[in-house]
Amino acid sequence: MSANTATNTAATTTGTPAPTSALSASRTTATAARVLRQLRHDPRTIALLILIPCVMLVLLRYVFDGSPRTFDSIGASLLGIFPLITMFLVTSIATLRERTSGTLERLLAMPLGKGDLIAGYALAFGILAIIQSALATGLAVWFLGLDVTGSPWLLLLVALLDALLGTALGLFVSAFAASEFQAVQFMPAVIFPQLLLCGLFTPRSDMHPALEAISDVLPMSYAVDGMNEVLKHTDMTATFVRDALIVAGCALLVLCLGAATLRRRTA
């Protein structure tokens, strides 16, 4: 008897579905489609995802109305930070809601692996991240007058990677929260330290050496560095490529950790 046959026989005997080890494109896209259908009926979540980063950028622009150079210096960085924060909040709460409502339990009772589920969520929120990042970047550059030396398309790329990183972090931390309130509580622990140490408020080289060392392992630091590269250089630099690859690699790593730590029930 082959290993797969033995596994299927054991699953039938115990009433537990056989595990699915490999990612399936059909299962992943079906999961993504289901998530998007649910979000379509939740206008408040859509507004949070799509409109809030744009509203915050408009507010920031006119806070520094008398000092447009200040908006130029921090606007590009916040163009990546705002999508990361909103995607983190929405994804962590949405995934936790799936688990507490029993939907996750029913889904994993089907031939659906954890990897399929995480990849489906990442795909669904990734589509929203593209829309969110494109709107925020277009608004900042063409309507709010954000002055960048490099290509706006590179700004869009980093903003999209930041949004995907926020999605991955939200999926990951949702496994450790027992309620939506606890999911929100992870924000000060996961997002705020990165926000303080990413170089937005002061160059990382000016920080205490211990804090600078910590900032060197935080992905948001490289997101801000990548945005600053676009702000200062006309062409794509090696530093920009390194920063973008680090942010993308961190998002992929956290997604894998999210699949590994995903639990069916909330205790």
Side-chain angles (χ1 to χ4, degrees):
M1 183 181 293
S2 66
N4 288 337
T5 303
T7 301
N8 291 334
T9 302
T12 302
T13 303
T14 59
T16 303
T20 53
S21 56
L23 281 173
S24 166
S26 60
R27 292 192 297 261
T28 297
T29 53
T31 301
R34 181 185 61 80
V35 173
L36 289 174
R37 284 195 301 270
Q38 290 179 332
L39 288 175
R40 186 181 61 183
H41 300 292
D42 190 352
R44 286 178 297 181
T45 298
I46 294 176
L48 177 62
L49 283 172
I50 304 300
L51 298 180
I52 293 302
C54 295
V55 172
M56 296 303 294
L57 284 171
V58 171
L59 179 62
L60 183 71
R61 166 63 182 85
Y62 291 104
V63 164
F64 296 110
D65 190 46
S67 180
R69 297 306 303 171
T70 302
F71 176 70
D72 290 338
S73 64
I74 67 173
S77 299
L78 291 176
L79 188 59
I81 291 173
F82 286 156
L84 189 154
I85 294 174
T86 56
M87 294 304 291
F88 173 84
L89 280 173
V90 171
T91 307
S92 60
I93 293 174
T95 309
L96 179 66
R97 190 177 299 168
E98 293 273 73
R99 201 169 72 245
T100 55
S101 66
T103 302
L104 182 60
E105 182 76 13
R106 294 191 295 272
L107 288 173
L108 292 180
M110 301 165 58
L112 181 71
K114 293 181 179 181
D116 296 317
L117 190 69
I118 292 294
Y121 267 89
L123 177 59
F125 284 106
I127 292 171
L128 292 173
I130 293 173
I131 299 172
Q132 179 195 71
S133 301
L135 287 175
T137 302
L139 176 69
V141 174
W142 288 298
F143 291 94
L144 299 181
L146 179 66
D147 187 14
V148 294
T149 303
S151 170
W153 293 105
L154 295 180
L155 281 183
L156 175 60
L157 174 61
V158 180
L160 176 58
L161 291 175
D162 289 346
L164 293 176
L165 176 61
T167 298
L169 289 171
L171 289 169
F172 176 64
V173 303
S174 68
F176 304 98
S179 66
E180 294 181 12
F181 179 67
Q182 287 187 8
V184 174
Q185 285 180 315
F186 274 103
M187 187 173 173
V190 175
I191 300 298
F192 286 179
Q194 295 193 67
L195 188 61
L196 293 174
L197 299 177
C198 68
L200 177 65
F201 301 105
T202 186
R204 293 193 290 131
S205 58
D206 293 343
M207 297 178 185
H208 188 279
L211 295 180
E212 183 181 0
I214 294 173
S215 73
D216 287 341
V217 299
L218 299 177
M220 192 184 290
S221 300
Y222 297 94
V224 171
D225 288 350
M227 288 295 194
N228 288 333
E229 286 293 304
V230 181
L231 199 65
K232 299 174 183 176
H233 299 89
T234 56
D235 299 321
M236 183 186 300
T237 64
T239 301
F240 173 86
V241 173
R242 180 207 65 183
D243 294 336
L245 289 175
I246 289 175
V247 175
C250 288
L252 181 60
L253 175 61
V254 176
L255 280 176
C256 293
L257 292 174
T261 57
L262 184 65
R263 296 180 292 120
R264 292 187 177 188
R265 290 193 179 95
T266 301

